[in-house]
Structure formats: C-alpha cells, structure tokens
Amino acid sequence: MNIILLGPPGAGKGTQARILMEGTGLVQLSTGDMLRAAVAAGSEVGRKAKAVMEAGQLVSDEIVIGVVSDRLDEPDTKTGVIFDGFPRTAAQAEALDRLLAAKGLVLDAVVSMEVDDALLVDRVSGRFTCAACGEGYHDTHKMPAVEGVCDKCGATEFKRRPDDNAETVRARLAAYHADTAPLIGYYTGTGKLQTVDGMADIGAVTRAIREVLG
Ligand code: AMP
C-alpha cells in the first residue's frame, strides 16, 4: 500500500507515519528528514537546500523529485510507502504519478490531516525529538514520562529543528497555503482523497486514519 499524508507543518504527519509503520512493513518517506540528512552530510543536495530550509521556503521541485526517485529505487520501499511531506507542489504531485507508474506502483490513498492554523505555530514551536530514535515530544502536550529520558529508547539527548521557531513556522505555513493546499483539489479529482480531523489526540487520529484506509 502506498499512501500520502497531506497536511500543514505540525499536522502530525511524521508522528502518524511512525505509528503506521509499526508492524506493517510500510516505510516512511519523509523528504524533510532526507533533506536534513543531506544538510548534515554536507552533500551537494544539502548545500543547495540548507538556506532555503532555514528560511521556511520550499526546496526546488527538481531536487526533491530526484531525492524521492532515488529513494523509491531502494528495495525496502516495495512493500509500501507512507509519503510524509511530499508532494508539496502540483509539479511534485504530477512527478509522483509518473514515478509510480514507471516503477509499476500504485497510489492507494491520500489522507488529508486538517488542523486550524492557530494551533500549528504552538504545536511546531514546542516540539523536540529524541536524538537517538527520533521519537517526537512536545513542551506542553507530550513530555517524556521521566524528565530527560526518552520513553521509547531510554536515550537522554534530544534535539530541536532550527526551522521550528515561530517566525519560520509562519513562512512554512504560507508556503503550505500557497503551494501545497491546492493538492487537496488535485487528489479529490482522482477520487483518492480521505480527510481526517488532525486536531484530535494522537491515538484518535491514528484510529481515524486506519479507518479511512480500510
Ligand atoms: P518538513 O520536515 O516536512 O517540515 O520539511 C522541512 C523543510 O524541508 C521544508 O520547510 C522545506 O524547506 C523542505 N522540504 C521538505 N519536503 C519538501 C518538499 N516536498 N518540497 C520542497 N521542500 C521540501
């Protein structure tokens, strides 16, 4: 099964992708994670993407489509992919259609996670992750059970994304509304769009996604 989680920054796409992966064989394909890894590695893609990401703007379609195409050639994606943060523009959506067709893959569903803008700045600017396993936390909504210790793996180091500050979040939200929200219309036209309330708690959103996926 190949699905897209569509939604603004802070909608919970990454959180839900990680939960949906457990026990299903699906892999999370997060272009944000892949670009951050490229920046950390100092690769050519990373050097081109760094400043754009820090400004909360979109990395070029050409770069992002190239990264996704390479990732889909890796064998672990054959059992199914959860696209998280991709596609983000009409050109990326059209490129994804072509890539999937060329690789003999099918897009099963697009899950749109709806969250009011007013909640997103708070959600994004309070979040942090375990540096070892990537488990997500939030300053007010989801602190580790034992302060300073990851619930999932016991590590004691955490990190925050440099683009998760209030000012950059506003730029990312503007990019979402200008370039990504129109994809809701695109996928409604294909009959594959499903909508869930992304404002419910994490478990309720997971149940809603599982229900629409059938
Ligand atoms: P994310 O982790 O999905 O919030 O992405 C972090 C940043 O990476 C975004 O603000 C963009 O600068 C860049 N990025 C991630 N995915 C894409 C994409 N599909 N198209 C363009 N830029 C992207």
Side-chain angles (χ1 to χ4, degrees):
M1 175 186 276
N2 297 297
I3 63 170
I4 295 171
L5 295 183
L6 189 65
K13 303 185 295 295
T15 300
Q16 295 298 332
R18 287 170 59 87
I19 295 171
L20 294 171
M21 277 199 313
E22 284 167 16
T24 60
L26 297 174
V27 298
Q28 174 189 18
L29 194 162
S30 158
T31 44
D33 284 349
M34 290 158 75
L35 291 167
R36 278 185 288 281
V39 170
S43 68
E44 195 192 336
V45 164
R47 283 197 299 277
K48 286 182 180 157
K50 188 169 189 284
V52 180
M53 293 172 74
E54 278 168 2
Q57 284 158 6
L58 294 183
V59 174
S60 79
D61 289 331
E62 192 194 348
I63 289 178
V64 175
I65 292 163
V67 164
V68 171
S69 175
D70 289 349
R71 183 70 184 91
L72 288 176
D73 285 335
E74 290 172 31
D76 65 321
T77 60
K78 297 289 173 270
T79 44
V81 175
I82 305 166
F83 292 96
D84 159 12
F86 178 90
R88 259 177 158 96
T89 65
Q92 291 179 19
E94 286 159 13
L96 180 61
D97 289 344
R98 288 194 296 274
L99 279 176
L100 292 175
K103 295 175 201 290
L105 301 171
V106 173
L107 179 63
D108 296 283
V110 180
V111 180
S112 172
M113 300 173 61
E114 298 197 328
V115 181
D116 288 348
D117 275 14
L119 282 183
L120 294 170
V121 175
D122 164 69
R123 274 196 183 186
V124 175
S125 41
R127 70 186 179 181
F128 60 98
T129 54
C130 169
C133 75
E135 182 70 0
Y137 295 96
H138 190 280
D139 290 332
T140 44
H141 312 307
K142 189 190 165 198
M143 286 295 280
V146 177
E147 199 185 331
V149 182
C150 175
D151 296 345
K152 201 131 199 173
C153 76
T156 52
E157 278 198 39
F158 296 87
K159 58 184 183 184
R160 287 176 194 265
R161 285 171 42 176
D163 61 345
D164 275 353
N165 60 78
E167 189 191 338
T168 311
V169 176
R170 286 195 189 91
R172 289 161 61 200
L173 265 178
Y176 172 79
H177 287 295
D179 296 311
T180 310
L183 297 185
I184 292 172
Y186 179 82
Y187 288 117
T188 301
T190 66
K192 291 185 176 163
L193 191 86
Q194 304 280 355
T195 300
V196 298
D197 174 7
M199 289 185 281
D201 65 50
I202 293 173
V205 177
T206 306
R207 286 192 291 281
I209 294 175
R210 290 208 168 112
E211 201 173 309
V212 298
L213 293 179

